[in-house]
Amino acid sequence: MDSIEGENDYFVSRDRELIDYAAAAHLIIEVAAWGKAQHTGEDSVRSCIDNSAWCFGVYRKAANKTEMVGIARIISDKRTFGYLCDVVIHPEHRGCGLGKQLVRAIVADEEVVSLGTLLLITPDAHGLYRQFGFKSIDNPEMLMKR
């Protein structure tokens, strides 16, 4: 699936030709609370996007241009497991359902649907993700990190 049109002037697409790396870096580093700790600049974000299985962008159609206003990416083996991360909507575009539009497009994507497991970590958006079938981990003590 290349894109899902919304009921507004926005659309979601995983077309890599549409990615605005400067806008993506701004969203991930400046807008997202975790971004500064993980990335050193646009090159870091570009590398992460380019090495992800899929990158979904939220775009606003304006006069003669398309503006990237949201992003999410999935790190995956494209078969059994995926990790949904860097889900961000620009603050000026929040409140009109774009987060839902983005997650709906992701979970409807036929390649993402074919994954056995799609994991995510969120400090505060549990309600959003529950609407799309995500649930808490049954045995969180099994998870480890380094």
Side-chain angles (χ1 to χ4, degrees):
M1 170 186 312
D2 288 328
S3 65
I4 290 184
E5 294 288 334
E7 299 174 3
N8 44 35
D9 291 334
Y10 299 90
F11 67 97
V12 176
S13 177
R14 65 174 214 185
D15 181 349
R16 290 186 181 263
E17 297 295 318
L18 293 175
I19 296 172
D20 177 340
Y21 287 98
H26 175 74
L27 288 165
I28 293 170
I29 297 171
E30 302 300 327
V31 175
W34 64 89
K36 284 186 182 177
Q38 295 179 345
H39 297 282
T40 56
E42 185 178 331
D43 287 342
S44 173
V45 171
R46 177 183 290 271
S47 177
C48 290
I49 289 170
D50 289 347
N51 289 297
S52 295
W54 304 288
C55 182
F56 292 79
V58 179
Y59 302 92
R60 180 174 68 167
K61 295 177 267 185
N64 292 321
K65 65 177 186 168
T66 301
E67 175 187 14
M68 185 177 212
V69 300
I71 190 168
R73 63 188 184 94
I74 298 177
I75 302 165
S76 178
D77 61 9
K78 294 188 175 185
R79 179 73 179 162
T80 63
F81 177 81
Y83 172 58
L84 175 59
C85 59
D86 291 341
V87 181
V88 187
I89 302 294
H90 193 284
E92 292 177 11
H93 300 274
R94 292 180 185 163
C96 59
L98 294 179
K100 288 181 184 179
Q101 190 173 330
L102 175 58
V103 177
R104 185 178 298 114
I106 292 167
V107 300
D109 184 277
E110 63 186 50
E111 288 186 278
V112 175
V113 168
S114 72
L115 297 174
T117 300
L118 184 59
L119 178 73
L120 67 88
I121 298 171
T122 181
D124 57 5
H126 297 79
L128 167 67
Y129 295 110
R130 280 192 187 103
Q131 296 174 50
F132 298 98
F134 289 88
K135 61 183 182 175
S136 297
I137 303 283
D138 291 332
N139 299 304
E141 65 279 356
M142 292 175 60
L143 293 175
M144 298 179 74
K145 74 174 188 175
R146 188 181 96 159

Coordinates of all heavy atoms in Angstrom, one line a residue, residues 97-130:
G97 N -7.1 14.2 14.5 CA -7.1 12.8 14.2 C -6.0 12.2 13.4 O -6.1 11.1 12.9
L98 N -4.9 13.0 13.2 CA -3.8 12.5 12.4 C -3.1 11.3 13.0 O -2.6 10.5 12.3 CB -2.8 13.6 12.0 CG -3.4 14.8 11.2 CD1 -2.3 15.8 11.0 CD2 -3.9 14.3 9.9
G99 N -3.0 11.3 14.3 CA -2.3 10.2 15.0 C -3.1 8.9 14.7 O -2.5 7.9 14.3
K100 N -4.4 9.0 14.8 CA -5.3 7.9 14.5 C -5.2 7.5 13.0 O -5.1 6.3 12.6 CB -6.7 8.2 14.8 CG -7.0 8.2 16.3 CD -8.5 8.5 16.5 CE -8.8 8.6 18.0 NZ -10.2 8.9 18.3
Q101 N -5.2 8.5 12.1 CA -5.1 8.2 10.7 C -3.7 7.5 10.4 O -3.7 6.5 9.6 CB -5.1 9.5 9.9 CG -5.3 9.4 8.4 CD -5.5 10.8 7.8 OE1 -6.1 11.7 8.4 NE2 -5.0 10.9 6.6
L102 N -2.7 7.9 11.0 CA -1.4 7.3 10.9 C -1.3 5.9 11.3 O -0.9 4.9 10.6 CB -0.3 8.1 11.6 CG 1.1 7.6 11.6 CD1 1.7 7.4 10.2 CD2 2.1 8.5 12.3
V103 N -1.8 5.6 12.6 CA -1.8 4.3 13.1 C -2.7 3.4 12.4 O -2.4 2.2 12.1 CB -2.1 4.3 14.6 CG1 -2.1 2.9 15.2 CG2 -1.0 5.1 15.4
R104 N -3.9 3.9 11.9 CA -4.8 3.1 11.1 C -4.1 2.6 9.8 O -4.3 1.5 9.4 CB -6.1 3.9 10.8 CG -7.1 3.1 10.1 CD -8.4 4.0 9.9 NE -9.0 4.4 11.1 CZ -9.1 5.7 11.5 NH1 -8.6 6.6 10.8 NH2 -9.6 5.9 12.7
A105 N -3.4 3.5 9.2 CA -2.7 3.2 7.9 C -1.7 2.1 8.2 O -1.5 1.2 7.4 CB -2.1 4.4 7.3
I106 N -1.0 2.2 9.3 CA 0.1 1.3 9.6 C -0.5 -0.1 9.8 O 0.0 -1.1 9.2 CB 0.9 1.8 10.8 CG1 1.7 3.0 10.4 CG2 1.8 0.7 11.3 CD1 2.3 3.7 11.6
V107 N -1.5 -0.2 10.7 CA -2.0 -1.5 11.0 C -2.8 -2.1 9.9 O -3.1 -3.3 9.9 CB -2.8 -1.5 12.4 CG1 -1.9 -1.1 13.5 CG2 -4.0 -0.7 12.3
A108 N -3.2 -1.3 8.9 CA -3.9 -1.8 7.7 C -3.0 -2.2 6.6 O -3.4 -2.9 5.7 CB -4.9 -0.8 7.2
D109 N -1.7 -1.8 6.7 CA -0.8 -2.1 5.6 C -0.6 -3.7 5.5 O -0.3 -4.3 6.5 CB 0.6 -1.4 5.9 CG 1.6 -1.6 4.8 OD1 2.2 -2.7 4.8 OD2 1.7 -0.8 4.0
E110 N -0.8 -4.2 4.4 CA -0.7 -5.7 4.2 C 0.6 -6.3 4.7 O 0.6 -7.4 5.2 CB -1.2 -6.2 2.9 CG -0.3 -5.7 1.7 CD -0.9 -6.1 0.4 OE1 -2.0 -5.9 0.1 OE2 -0.1 -6.7 -0.4
E111 N 1.7 -5.6 4.4 CA 3.0 -6.2 4.9 C 3.1 -6.2 6.4 O 3.6 -7.1 7.0 CB 4.1 -5.5 4.2 CG 4.3 -5.8 2.7 CD 5.5 -5.2 2.1 OE1 5.4 -4.0 1.7 OE2 6.5 -6.0 2.0
V112 N 2.6 -5.1 7.0 CA 2.7 -5.0 8.5 C 1.7 -6.0 9.1 O 2.0 -6.7 10.1 CB 2.3 -3.6 8.9 CG1 2.2 -3.5 10.5 CG2 3.3 -2.6 8.4
V113 N 0.5 -6.2 8.5 CA -0.4 -7.2 9.0 C 0.2 -8.6 9.0 O -0.1 -9.4 9.9 CB -1.7 -7.1 8.1 CG1 -2.6 -8.3 8.4 CG2 -2.5 -5.8 8.3
S114 N 1.0 -8.9 8.0 CA 1.6 -10.2 7.9 C 2.6 -10.5 9.0 O 3.0 -11.7 9.2 CB 2.2 -10.4 6.6 OG 3.4 -9.7 6.4
L115 N 3.1 -9.5 9.8 CA 4.0 -9.7 10.8 C 3.4 -10.5 12.0 O 2.2 -10.2 12.3 CB 4.6 -8.4 11.4 CG 5.4 -7.5 10.4 CD1 5.7 -6.2 11.1 CD2 6.6 -8.2 10.0
G116 N 4.1 -11.4 12.6 CA 3.6 -12.1 13.8 C 3.4 -11.2 15.0 O 2.5 -11.3 15.7
T117 N 4.4 -10.3 15.2 CA 4.4 -9.4 16.3 C 4.8 -8.0 15.9 O 5.7 -7.8 15.2 CB 5.4 -9.9 17.4 OG1 5.0 -11.2 17.8 CG2 5.4 -9.0 18.6
L118 N 4.0 -7.0 16.4 CA 4.4 -5.6 16.2 C 4.4 -5.0 17.6 O 3.4 -4.9 18.3 CB 3.4 -4.9 15.4 CG 3.7 -3.4 15.0 CD1 5.0 -3.3 14.3 CD2 2.6 -2.8 14.2
L119 N 5.6 -4.6 18.0 CA 5.9 -4.1 19.4 C 6.0 -2.6 19.3 O 6.5 -2.0 18.3 CB 7.1 -4.7 19.9 CG 7.6 -4.3 21.3 CD1 6.8 -4.9 22.4 CD2 9.1 -4.7 21.5
L120 N 5.6 -1.9 20.4 CA 5.9 -0.5 20.5 C 6.1 -0.2 22.0 O 5.7 -0.9 22.8 CB 4.8 0.4 19.9 CG 3.4 0.4 20.5 CD1 3.3 1.4 21.6 CD2 2.4 0.7 19.5
I121 N 6.7 1.0 22.2 CA 6.9 1.5 23.6 C 6.3 2.9 23.6 O 6.6 3.7 22.7 CB 8.4 1.5 24.0 CG1 9.0 0.1 23.9 CG2 8.6 2.2 25.3 CD1 10.5 0.1 24.1
T122 N 5.4 3.2 24.5 CA 4.9 4.5 24.7 C 4.7 4.9 26.1 O 4.3 4.1 26.9 CB 3.5 4.6 24.0 OG1 3.0 5.9 24.1 CG2 2.5 3.6 24.5
P123 N 5.1 6.1 26.5 CA 5.0 6.5 27.9 C 3.6 7.0 28.2 O 3.1 7.0 29.3 CB 6.0 7.6 28.0 CG 6.1 8.2 26.6 CD 5.9 7.0 25.7
D124 N 2.8 7.5 27.1 CA 1.6 8.2 27.4 C 0.5 8.0 26.4 O -0.6 8.6 26.5 CB 1.9 9.7 27.5 CG 2.6 10.2 26.3 OD1 2.7 9.5 25.3 OD2 2.9 11.4 26.3
A125 N 0.6 7.2 25.4 CA -0.4 7.1 24.3 C -1.1 5.7 24.3 O -1.5 5.3 23.2 CB 0.2 7.5 23.0
H126 N -1.2 5.1 25.4 CA -1.8 3.8 25.5 C -3.2 3.7 24.9 O -3.6 2.8 24.2 CB -1.8 3.2 26.9 CG -0.4 3.1 27.5 ND1 0.3 4.1 27.9 CD2 0.3 2.0 27.6 CE1 1.5 3.7 28.4 NE2 1.5 2.4 28.1
G127 N -4.0 4.8 25.2 CA -5.4 4.8 24.7 C -5.5 4.8 23.2 O -6.3 4.2 22.6
L128 N -4.6 5.6 22.5 CA -4.5 5.6 21.1 C -4.3 4.2 20.5 O -5.0 3.7 19.7 CB -3.4 6.6 20.6 CG -3.1 6.5 19.1 CD1 -4.3 6.9 18.2 CD2 -1.8 7.3 18.8
Y129 N -3.2 3.6 21.0 CA -2.8 2.3 20.4 C -3.8 1.2 20.8 O -3.9 0.3 19.9 CB -1.4 2.0 20.9 CG -0.4 3.0 20.3 CD1 0.3 3.9 21.2 CD2 -0.1 3.0 19.0 CE1 1.2 4.8 20.7 CE2 0.8 3.9 18.5 CZ 1.4 4.8 19.3 OH 2.3 5.7 18.8
R130 N -4.4 1.2 21.9 CA -5.4 0.2 22.3 C -6.5 0.1 21.2 O -7.1 -0.9 21.0 CB -6.0 0.4 23.7 CG -5.1 -0.1 24.7 CD -5.8 -0.1 26.1 NE -4.8 -0.4 27.1 CZ -4.2 0.4 27.9 NH1 -4.6 1.7 27.9 NH2 -3.3 0.1 28.8

